Amino acid sequence: MRYDVARSDLERLLDGEPRYRADQVWRGLHQRGLDPEEMTDLPKALRARLGEVLRPALALVAESESDAGDTVKSLWSLAGGRRIETVLMQYHDRVTVCISSQAGCGMGCVFCATGQAGLSGQLTMGEIVEQVIRARRRAEPRRLGNVVFMGMGEPLANYAAVWAAIERLHDDVGISARRITVSTVGLVPGIRRLAGERLPVNLAVSLHAANDTLRDRLVPVNRRYPLAVLAAACREYTEATGRRLSFEWAMIAGVNDQPSDATELAAIARPLHAHVNLIPLNPTPGYATRGTPAAGVQAFRDRLEKLGVNATVRDNRGTDIDAACGQLAASAIAAPANLTP
Ligand code: SAH
Ligand code: SF4
């Protein structure tokens, strides 16, 4: 598939062509996101031949917009019947794409629609990269600057493909690692491995609970990597990379939004200088509990700030089109009116 091709594969494909061709095509694909057919500086026959070989991996099934077009959710179909979603979010000062790292997810967090659906397949490096390329073109004339691995899947459970995609994005697509955020449920070996890589990405850890009893229940993976072990891996990460660490905290009414939860969270976040992102729980079919009302979220934030922890209430984009965090299930087919050929 198009972005799974290595530079050396492309050179082999262009055997017999002038040497500069490989550069030309590589740049066209990565920097400009062109289809080979659009590379008008290539001879026509070559364009057609490359178009045959470098087929795109993602086929658009449906697209839906909300927030007056500022949030765009795309449902893609991939080889083997896998389906994934990406969400493009345009803010006044930046454009961010939220990409998937797996089709579904096997981590089983109880409140997450992707987790409720289970894992249906891994993504390849090229399938991850192509999501960014497509989003960047969709965002034009605005400039896509940020990539977050907060779509479907657990990135550290598909480590090799995710890391190769990050390198490709940084080295060839022109998106600096500093503008890439990997969000993880807390797979400790993956965090450690990430700490040793050559490029420093931002790390977001989906905490949601700051004591093991509650976290075991909400995030089953906690039974394997409990909080003390996770916090130690987070420290290793920030010390090795110098990047900012953030904790994601979905606010669940009556479950993790009490003053004692803020106190426990602060005890973990403060020594790590972690930033906390608060996001009211998005309703999903498989979890009956509701999100904390806005006033409760604000009070929780104020309490964290008083305890010396920086916290932001995250703007919750695309809730009405099921494009918000945790709502991605790749099952809904948009009405034909939303279908973009
Ligand atoms: N698997 C990774 C990345 C994808 S999930 C992870 O868990 O970090 C992206 C974010 O959405 C995570 O912070 C996750 O905890 C959060 N999330 C999942 N379900 C949610 C829901 N129903 N409401 C709000 N946030 C949710
Ligand atoms: Fe998977 Fe993340 Fe959802 Fe948990 S929150 S089930 S790790 S996608």
Side-chain angles (χ1 to χ4, degrees), residues 105 107-109 112 114-115 153-154 185:
C105 183
M107 297 294 135
C109 305
C112 170
T114 311
E154 165 52 41
V185 68

Side-chain angles (χ1 to χ4, degrees), residues 10-28:
L10 182 65
E11 282 165 14
R12 220 166 305 123
L13 220 80
L14 292 168
D15 204 24
E17 293 289 328
R19 285 184 63 88
Y20 61 84
R21 284 281 187 243
D23 252 341
Q24 206 177 7
V25 174
W26 192 259
R27 275 203 312 267

